[in-house]
Amino acid sequence: MTRKLILDLDTGIDDSLAIAYTLASPEAELIGVTATYGNVLMRDSVRNSLAVLDLLGAPGIPVHPGLPCASSAGDFSVQEISAFIHGRNGIGEVDIADSRRGAETTGAVDVIIEASRRYGDELVYVPTGPLTNLAAALKKDPSLAERLTVVLMGGALTVSGNTSPWAEANISQDPDAADAVFRSGVDATMVGLDVTLQTLLTYEHTHRWREAGTPAGAFLADMTDYYIRAYETTAPGLGGCGLHDPLAAAVAVDPSLVSTFPVNLRVDVEGPTRGRTIGDVERLNEPRKTSRVALGVDVDRFLETFMDRVTRLVRAD
Ligand code: BDR
Ligand code: CA
């Protein structure tokens, strides 16, 4: 079955790889991108998404602006660690042409609501940054929780976080939004560090893109090499960079790539563990679990599919 996907991106490096994977997947129809902040400012996420879509041969996919910061924060500035991992421009300091088109006038919140009304079960919404846009959409239209299927990159249940021992980056940028999303009852699959740190890309992989000899291949290889180099500093010994956001996109089109644990999730919003994803003890005995957490992943099948598809995409450039 073909699924219609909306990617909600803070377009950094792995977000760009999620765009590439989605475009290269025959089971997925990318109907739009909504922009959030995190790896970069929201406006730079719009810029990067438009430029990457153009370079990858998809200049018709609309990009919608989202909210620029968490509702609990007055402003947002990119953290030093994000700039270190993704580069100041979000795409590994690689220079690619700005798109000649601009963002759509309809904002992310309305796009989520309208698309879910229009496409129902066919739609999967894939946030790979803070959940600010989705939480705002659920607040505006609470009935969205009954209609929308969400596969998100974020959180960590059985492993430590990556911004603190307890918090993963996307959740830590807006813990209140993530908590509101999990408590809303929306059908959510959490693809967190438990699995994304098992799916690693190395220089041997990116070499295949460079060998394609195309602008798209050179861009993806140079950008991802920057990411791998950053991981050599932040996670020495891991053996590559985590394919966080592409794995979430892949699970959105093929849920059988992961095994999941059903649980009603919440996020700590108070105290020193703010940003931790954890089971909600108050909903522990509710028979219906609205979230599931990916805890196992078919690493070989995902990596093989990812490389085959993205390499074919860049060769066709
Ligand atoms: C997540 O944080 C961002 O830096 C990445 O793009 C990914 O979505 C990993 O924790
Ligand atoms: Ca991201």
Side-chain angles (χ1 to χ4, degrees), residues 8-12 14-15 39 86 128-129 153 170 244-245:
D8 185 66
L9 308 174
D10 57 329
T11 311
D14 59 327
D15 306 77
N39 297 323
H86 295 269
T128 71
M153 192 284 134
N170 291 338
H244 308 287
D245 299 349

Side-chain angles (χ1 to χ4, degrees), residues 26-65:
E27 316 88 345
E29 184 194 344
L30 182 59
I31 62 165
V33 170
T34 53
T36 186
Y37 60 91
N39 297 323
V40 289
L41 299 178
M42 193 281 291
R43 63 163 187 264
D44 294 332
S45 169
V46 168
R47 182 265 162 201
N48 288 346
S49 291
L50 287 166
V52 170
L53 285 164
D54 285 8
L55 182 58
L56 296 180
I61 310 286
V63 176
H64 302 267

Side-chain angles (χ1 to χ4, degrees), residues 38-174:
N39 297 323
V40 289
L41 299 178
M42 193 281 291
R43 63 163 187 264
D44 294 332
S45 169
V46 168
R47 182 265 162 201
N48 288 346
S49 291
L50 287 166
V52 170
L53 285 164
D54 285 8
L55 182 58
L56 296 180
I61 310 286
V63 176
H64 302 267
L67 298 165
C69 59
S71 60
S72 61
D75 212 350
F76 174 77
S77 49
V78 176
Q79 291 181 4
E80 270 311 310
I81 185 66
S82 307
F84 177 77
I85 292 175
H86 295 269
R88 296 246 162 238
N89 70 352
I91 48 174
E93 305 298 353
V94 182
D95 204 13
I96 58 171
D98 279 336
S99 177
R100 274 189 283 186
R101 63 201 175 108
E104 305 296 308
T105 47
T106 314
V109 169
D110 290 328
V111 163
I112 302 165
I113 294 168
E114 281 163 23
S116 80
R117 286 200 183 126
R118 186 158 172 201
Y119 298 116
D121 283 355
E122 272 184 280
L123 177 73
V124 187
Y125 181 67
V126 187
T128 71
L131 295 173
T132 310
N133 289 330
L134 179 55
L138 285 160
K139 195 169 177 192
K140 185 166 182 180
D141 177 4
S143 74
L144 183 62
E146 289 147 35
R147 294 193 302 272
L148 192 65
T149 302
V150 177
V151 178
L152 68 115
M153 192 284 134
L157 193 67
T158 60
V159 296
S160 308
N162 55 1
T163 55
S164 72
W166 53 85
E168 180 279 331
N170 291 338
I171 303 295
S172 75
Q173 309 270 17
D174 194 347

Side-chain angles (χ1 to χ4, degrees), residues 197 229-240:
L197 286 176
R229 277 196 298 279
Y231 266 75
E232 286 168 353
T233 304
T234 59
L238 188 64

